[in-house]
Amino acid sequence: MENIIRELNESQKEAVLYNDGPSLVVAGAGSGKTRVLTCKIAYLLKSGYQPHTILALTFTNKAAREMKQRIAAITDDYMARYLWMGTFHSIFYNILRRESQHIGYSSDFTIYDASDSKSLIKTIIKDMGLDEGAYKPGLVQNRISNAKNCLITSNVYATNKNLNEYDAKAKVPLIRDIYKKYQIRCYNASVMDFDDLLLYANILLRDHPEILEKYRNQFKFILVDEYQDTNFAQHLIVRQLSEKHRHICIVGDDAQSIYSFRGANIDNMLRFKDNFPECRIFKLERNYRSTQNIVNAANSLIKKNREQMFKNVYSEKEWGNKIVVLAAYSDHEEGYIVSSQILEMKMRQKYSYSDFAVLYRTNAQSRVLEETMRKHQIPYRIYGSQSFYQRKEIKDIVAYLRVIINPNDEEALKRIINYPIRGIGSTTIDRLQAAAVEKNTSMWNVISQQENTGTPMSKGTLAKLKAFYDIITDFRSKNRELSAPEMLEYVIKYSGLADILFTDTTAEGISRQENVKELMNAMTEFVTLRREEGAENFSLTDFLVEISLLTDQDEKNRDEKKDVVTMMTVHAAKGLEFENVIIAGMENDLFPSMMSQGDMRAVEEERRLFYVAITRAKQNCIITYAKHRFRNGKTVTASPSYFLKDINEKYIDYPNNMELPAQNRHIALFPEMPKHVEMPKSSITATEGLSVGNTVRHDKFGEGKVLKIEMESNDLKATVEFKNAGRRTLLLKYAKLKVLKNG
């Protein structure tokens, strides 16, 4: 036992050792919560708990894998292997497969990702003859998702007066009908979407007391990570499973609750003690990640929130640099400032590009930042862009695999029925789909009964459908004989995809080939890992489950070893850490978002988001803002975020032209850096009120000094050394330079 807790501090040790009842571990940023969870599970195993009786719920597959590896190192491989550890969705997917007959599903049901779900919603909107401009698929998808997270089924939604009135006011009164049709189509296709996994898990436990009792008896201790990110459906599952034996430990940080737009409810953590009054609370307050200055600055910020569980986070690392705020005249100049800071710090302090993260509130901000990164030849990677498994060539192959497992999977079937081209056009697909809806069955069943589709088709069309049917039937037969990697190769070869993918020698074609090879690598790694973990039986279904349940957090860890600057939204950055963090666009109506105006809870979540951004930094945190930003087709005046005033002035350096309570002072992150060399005034040539030596401002490049004015091809040109954008030669008739100060 001693080796489990040897390296823990006193607070961590107390949290690990208490297992007599419910406990809540409030884990400040960088306080070692993963270590506590790992050691707690290892301690439970050493104390006599059998692995299969411990349920540990995480929010990423990667976190679950890493914790299992650490537990195996402390205990042994057997114990780690048989733990019920994973994400909510993966754990309850497995339970639903086991208990599928109780909810009317086949155990081979497949999963729709967000794009599949959206595609089906678009189809339903079209079939209903609705205006897609009013019934935006994304909006409808979000409404359905929110309903499911609140455990509102389509039948309940249809009869809920408040929901129907809300939709009517929003001029989308038929969402209830779309929701109902969507659920019927999913059921006929034997698929669930991500939200269904939690919805049906709750229905299973609610409607079948014997099943609830079965899993209550099995899971004798329940642990949940990142509890502040749970939604109502997740919270209710945990409560039902643990309210009898009361052996539950939740871990989280209310100060990092930032996903309300996904249904996360901070009250699940803040009010946990209401459900478990005897709960013991442990606070992990030592930050092992960041300098003292960064921790203190973040503390002073988050203390402004009213809804929180108070804790006094501290660091015993070096004091470190103050947080630096840099002002830019425009969003373009801000981009140059960000790039310049990266290059200067890399040169002066020997950092790698991978030591930097540029964070922003909205994805739209990345465009200008990318431009300046490219101009400075700074390698970068944007997280949150198209993930590996969303690339077309990968989705095409995976769709074949999904149909092999579940031929009723409508979205997968529609994707491959005419790819590669087989002469099965959209008219035929529409007819098949209409026949399936009319007969309340799947498209595959309609294809299987070709002569009885209920809609006239030519002999040629029927022959093409028969050929497609034979291909899929052959694949399904071979799947019983071949291993998963062999099956993948067989599909690529005999579907005709190989002829398309491996004959294209363009750069894009080669990239697609590399992606296909990477998919094959992923399959091989999956099989190898399962064998290493001692699994005796694994199949194509297991691989599909693995990739279907990947979270965005898992995806953002791809290519993590490359030496590139990380660029991402603050939401995507949660759970990560970097030596240096640059937070761009710290302006009112941007951060905090304009959408939070007048809503105290929304403002407090925005402040928590800022807290998350700051606490990603280990060594340096730099914040930038622009005084003018191009938004919605025009340049608007911007003001620095009022959140900056929430940080105690002892921990932050402001620019000398910023109106804040702090005293004015000059930014000097690198005081040893030489100033730009000024041109001698003897070369002054006056023209149109502009002279060499003048300090000027440009709408895009910001402030600079005129070095030279000359005539070339009947046009006047000025060479200007801008503070952040460097040296530029501009045509005066277009440049619109404003003189700020005579030289």
Side-chain angles (χ1 to χ4, degrees):
M1 293 288 191
E2 181 60 32
N3 68 316
I4 294 176
I5 60 174
R6 185 185 303 124
E7 296 181 6
L8 301 178
N9 64 37
E10 285 305 310
S11 298
Q12 293 172 331
K13 195 178 299 182
E14 288 178 9
V16 167
L17 295 179
Y18 179 75
N19 296 304
D20 295 332
S23 62
L24 190 169
V25 181
V26 184
S31 62
K33 70 177 177 63
T34 303
R35 176 187 291 181
V36 167
L37 271 171
T38 301
C39 291
K40 193 174 185 75
I41 294 169
Y43 184 81
L44 289 170
L45 291 169
K46 291 288 188 180
S47 299
Y49 280 87
Q50 293 300 305
H52 71 278
T53 68
I54 297 174
L55 172 63
L57 296 164
T58 66
F59 270 80
T60 70
N61 298 289
K62 183 174 184 286
R65 282 195 299 270
E66 289 178 350
M67 286 173 64
K68 273 192 176 184
Q69 290 168 1
R70 294 189 196 182
I71 291 164
I74 299 173
T75 56
D76 59 59
D77 289 337
Y78 173 85
M79 286 189 168
R81 185 186 311 150
Y82 290 100
L83 286 168
W84 276 68
M85 177 181 284
T87 64
F88 275 92
H89 292 96
S90 62
I91 291 292
F92 290 101
Y93 168 83
N94 287 324
I95 288 176
L96 288 172
R97 276 188 70 187
R98 286 183 169 196
E99 314 295 346
S100 60
Q101 72 276 15
H102 295 289
I103 55 173
Y105 265 82
S106 158
S107 62
D108 282 334
F109 69 85
T110 45
I111 301 169
Y112 276 174
D113 63 17
S115 63
D116 296 321
S117 169
K118 194 171 185 178
S119 175
L120 177 55
I121 288 169
K122 286 182 73 170
T123 299
I124 293 170
I125 291 170
K126 180 184 175 184
D127 290 348
M128 292 175 66
L130 301 175
D131 178 11
E132 199 173 299
Y135 288 87
K136 294 180 175 64
L139 179 146
V140 176
Q141 183 180 37
N142 189 55
R143 292 286 287 158
I144 293 173
S145 176
N146 288 341
K148 289 181 180 181
N149 287 333
C150 293
L151 304 183
I152 299 171
T153 63
S154 59
N155 289 334
V156 172
Y157 195 107
T159 58
N160 187 291
K161 182 180 177 182
N162 292 334
L163 290 171
N164 292 329
E165 285 180 353
Y166 180 90
D167 288 344
K169 286 179 182 177
K171 299 183 179 177
V172 283
L174 296 180
I175 283 183
R176 62 185 180 185
D177 297 334
I178 299 172
Y179 185 6
K180 193 156 193 136
K181 291 177 184 292
Y182 174 81
Q183 288 302 98
I184 292 171
R185 295 279 281 269
C186 284
Y187 181 78
N188 287 339
S190 194
V191 299
M192 293 187 193
D193 62 25
F194 259 46
D195 299 313
D196 281 329
L197 295 174
L198 300 180
L199 175 65
Y200 281 112
N202 272 287
I203 290 172
L204 177 70
L205 299 179
R206 181 197 67 190
D207 294 350
H208 300 277
E210 73 284 3
I211 301 295
L212 173 59
E213 196 63 21
K214 170 184 173 181
Y215 288 103
R216 275 179 175 172
N217 291 333
Q218 177 178 336
F219 300 133
K220 300 185 185 302
F221 208 106
I222 298 173
L223 305 98
V224 189
D225 192 13
E226 304 283 12
Y227 206 76
Q228 77 282 349
D229 293 337
T230 56
N231 59 34
F232 177 69
Q234 292 163 329
H235 173 70
L236 189 58
I237 288 171
V238 170
R239 199 176 80 189
Q240 288 186 88
L241 290 175
S242 61
E243 64 184 357
K244 197 169 180 180
H245 57 61
R246 320 289 279 184
H247 288 144
I248 178 172
C249 172
I250 69 165
V251 181
D253 183 6
D254 57 295
Q256 297 186 65
S257 178
I258 60 173
Y259 294 125
S260 65
F261 66 95
R262 292 182 182 172
N265 188 348
I266 190 174
D267 289 338
N268 292 345
M269 184 168 181
L270 296 178
R271 313 283 180 258
F272 184 75
K273 207 167 172 58
D274 294 347
N275 297 123
F276 298 91
E278 75 276 31
C279 168
R280 285 275 304 273
I281 296 177
F282 302 91
K283 295 181 179 180
L284 308 183
E285 297 176 309
R286 181 177 174 184
N287 181 300
Y288 289 89
R289 175 189 301 153
S290 308
T291 63
Q292 292 184 44
N293 189 83
I294 289 172
V295 170
N296 291 343
N299 282 347
S300 67
L301 168 74
I302 204 63
K303 282 178 182 176
K304 302 300 188 298
N305 271 12
R306 285 184 257 174
E307 286 195 320
Q308 64 173 294
M309 305 183 79
F310 179 79
K311 56 189 173 298
N312 184 33
V313 181
Y314 66 94
S315 170
E316 293 185 358
K317 297 186 76 174
E318 69 277 12
W319 182 259
N321 293 323
K322 288 187 176 185
I323 290 178
V324 173
V325 178
L326 299 174
Y329 179 75
S330 68
D331 47 353
H332 283 274
E333 188 187 25
E334 181 185 44
Y336 287 107
I337 289 174
V338 169
S339 296
S340 297
Q341 288 294 314
I342 291 171
L343 292 173
E344 289 173 4
M345 293 175 72
K346 184 175 184 293
M347 178 181 68
R348 295 290 176 180
Q349 300 186 23
K350 308 300 182 186
Y351 286 119
S352 300
Y353 285 119
S354 57
D355 290 326
F356 293 89
V358 180
L359 309 182
Y360 34 81
R361 179 64 183 82
T362 66
N363 279 307
Q365 291 169 254
S366 70
R367 181 186 62 81
V368 174
L369 294 167
E370 280 188 84
E371 286 179 10
T372 55
M373 289 282 185
R374 287 195 295 268
K375 286 174 182 174
H376 284 85
Q377 297 184 319
I378 297 174
Y380 65 89
R381 160 81 192 269
I382 293 188
Y383 289 91
S385 56
Q386 191 179 47
S387 70
F388 177 77
Y389 289 103
Q390 291 299 317
R391 292 166 187 165
K392 181 185 182 302
E393 59 275 14
I394 301 303
K395 283 199 68 109
D396 290 336
I397 297 170
V398 169
Y400 272 97
L401 304 184
R402 282 167 50 183
V403 170
I404 290 168
I405 301 304
N406 173 21
N408 296 313
D409 187 329
E410 183 177 315
E411 290 303 311
L413 186 72
K414 285 195 299 182
R415 189 176 188 97
I416 64 170
I417 193 170
N418 196 40
Y419 189 77
I421 293 173
R422 300 184 174 89
I424 302 173
S426 57
T427 300
T428 300
I429 295 171
D430 289 344
R431 286 177 177 174
L432 291 171
Q433 198 165 269
V437 171
E438 183 183 344
K439 295 174 181 290
N440 199 29
T441 187
S442 69
M443 286 177 64
W444 176 255
N445 286 338
V446 173
I447 294 170
S448 304
Q449 308 160 6
Q450 289 183 60
E451 299 297 337
N452 302 311
T453 60
T455 184
M457 291 190 185
S458 67
K459 287 186 178 180
T461 298
L462 290 173
K464 292 168 186 173
L465 290 173
K466 176 67 165 59
F468 173 71
Y469 175 84
D470 290 343
I471 290 171
I472 300 303
T473 303
D474 173 60
F475 287 170
R476 285 170 59 77
S477 174
K478 284 290 189 294
N479 188 43
R480 292 189 284 271
E481 305 169 11
L482 303 177
S483 68
E486 289 171 338
M487 193 64 222
L488 177 60
E489 288 188 34
Y490 189 88
V491 167
I492 293 171
K493 182 176 181 180
Y494 291 103
S495 64
L497 289 175
D499 295 334
I500 296 173
L501 294 168
F502 289 93
T503 56
D504 185 350
T505 58
T506 65
E508 293 80 6
I510 292 170
S511 176
R512 285 191 284 270
Q513 293 164 27
E514 290 172 349
N515 289 336
V516 173
K517 290 173 183 175
E518 180 61 23
L519 177 65
M520 297 174 79
N521 290 340
M523 173 77 85
T524 303
E525 287 175 5
F526 169 78
V527 170
T528 302
L529 182 61
R530 292 297 294 265
R531 284 186 178 136
E532 288 176 356
E533 290 177 342
E536 297 178 1
N537 299 309
F538 43 85
S539 64
L540 205 57
T541 302
D542 298 311
F543 177 70
L544 285 177
V545 171
E546 177 87 359
I547 63 175
S548 295
L549 296 174
L550 284 175
T551 68
D552 54 356
Q553 294 279 324
D554 294 308
E555 276 293 316
K556 73 189 179 194
N557 288 291
R558 297 183 69 85
D559 297 337
E560 60 186 1
K561 295 180 181 178
K562 291 185 178 180
D563 187 24
V564 296
V565 172
T566 297
M567 297 177 64
M568 60 171 68
T569 64
V570 183
H571 280 104
K574 186 173 174 291
L576 302 181
E577 58 183 36
F578 303 90
E579 294 296 323
N580 309 294
V581 168
I582 301 174
I583 307 168
M586 204 67 212
E587 299 141 32
N588 288 327
D589 293 339
L590 185 56
F591 202 169
S593 166
M594 184 183 296
M595 302 294 289
S596 67
Q597 285 184 3
D599 184 339
M600 187 271 287
R601 282 182 70 104
V603 168
E604 293 208 342
E605 177 154 328
E606 290 284 309
R607 190 178 281 112
R608 293 194 295 268
L609 190 60
F610 188 24
Y611 174 86
V612 166
I614 292 172
T615 55
R616 299 312 92 200
K618 295 181 181 180
Q619 294 293 330
N620 293 295
C621 180
I622 300 169
I623 298 170
T624 65
Y625 72 91
K627 297 176 183 177
H628 300 85
R629 186 171 294 277
F630 193 78
R631 298 181 72 179
N632 301 319
K634 60 182 179 180
T635 300
V636 297
T637 301
S639 58
S641 171
Y642 60 81
F643 281 166
L644 293 171
K645 297 182 181 181
D646 291 339
I647 301 175
N648 190 307
E649 63 179 20
K650 294 188 296 186
Y651 311 121
I652 190 166
D653 263 331
Y654 297 110
N656 56 12
N657 59 349
M658 187 173 177
E659 294 181 7
L660 283 173
Q663 90 181 56
N664 293 338
R665 47 194 181 271
H666 180 65
I667 298 302
L669 183 60
F670 304 105
E672 74 278 13
M673 290 295 290
K675 299 279 191 294
H676 291 305
V677 178
E678 295 187 5
M679 295 295 287
K681 292 188 179 180
S682 59
S683 62
I684 291 177
T685 305
T687 174
E688 297 187 0
L690 188 69
S691 301
V692 171
N694 284 166
T695 300
V696 296
R697 177 185 289 146
H698 183 272
D699 285 348
K700 182 175 180 180
F701 304 123
E703 196 172 304
K705 181 162 286 192
V706 179
L707 304 183
K708 184 168 60 173
I709 297 173
E710 58 187 337
M711 181 72 74
E712 185 177 307
S713 301
N714 296 320
D715 284 321
L716 279 173
K717 291 184 175 181
T719 301
V720 183
E721 185 74 43
F722 291 99
K723 285 184 178 179
N724 298 298
R727 188 170 297 189
R728 301 275 168 168
T729 299
L730 306 169
L731 284 173
L732 290 181
K733 65 180 179 181
Y734 298 125
K736 297 179 183 177
L737 295 173
K738 180 180 179 181
V739 177
L740 300 179
K741 187 169 64 176
N742 291 325

